[in-house]
Amino acid sequence: RSLRGRMAEACPELGRHIVCPLEFKPVTCGNGCDYDNGCFAQSVGFNLRNDCGVKTCPSAGIEEEAECYENLDFSPLICKGCIYDNDCFAKAAGFSSVLEECEPARL
């Protein structure tokens, strides 16, 4: 799957010749279509103002995150369109099955 977005079956697919910045500012459009940024969403026909919103990602509490800072491994993961520094932060945010719910981020 592409880093550009996670798309449900009903979501418009990205074309091959899209020119958008490679910045990760995720948006959710329509009925749960996730894109890395507004440019990708606009390229498939979504109106950012009317059809999209900023994607919010689950995060861990302070105590859970404190344990993760002991592990300085930077192996970023994308879990349901959200990026985490490593599997510890992803698990602390509620992704219990990291191998099934996440994939390595290609930064």
Side-chain angles (χ1 to χ4, degrees):
R1 289 185 278 198
S2 170
L3 182 61
R4 293 181 186 148
R6 296 242 192 301
M7 296 177 264
E9 288 182 28
C11 297
E13 291 190 30
L14 297 171
R16 291 180 177 226
H17 303 291
I18 304 293
V19 178
C20 287
L22 295 177
E23 63 183 343
F24 191 71
K25 293 183 179 179
V27 296
T28 299
C29 306
N31 292 327
C33 301
D34 294 340
Y35 299 93
D36 274 3
N37 59 52
C39 177
F40 288 115
Q42 286 180 310
S43 75
V44 295
F46 284 110
N47 179 306
L48 290 180
R49 179 172 283 166
N50 298 325
D51 303 328
C52 305
V54 174
K55 180 167 181 69
T56 55
C57 296
S59 61
I62 294 172
E63 291 179 17
E64 293 87 356
E65 280 196 359
E67 293 177 20
C68 294
Y69 284 112
E70 294 174 12
N71 173 6
L72 298 178
D73 176 38
F74 184 69
S75 301
L77 297 171
I78 297 178
C79 308
K80 295 188 178 179
C82 299
I83 193 162
Y84 298 94
D85 286 352
N86 57 42
D87 63 342
C88 183
F89 285 101
K91 287 178 185 175
F95 295 97
S96 57
S97 182
V98 174
L99 292 176
E100 294 176 15
E101 297 177 277
C102 307
E103 64 184 51
R106 292 170 277 158
L107 302 176

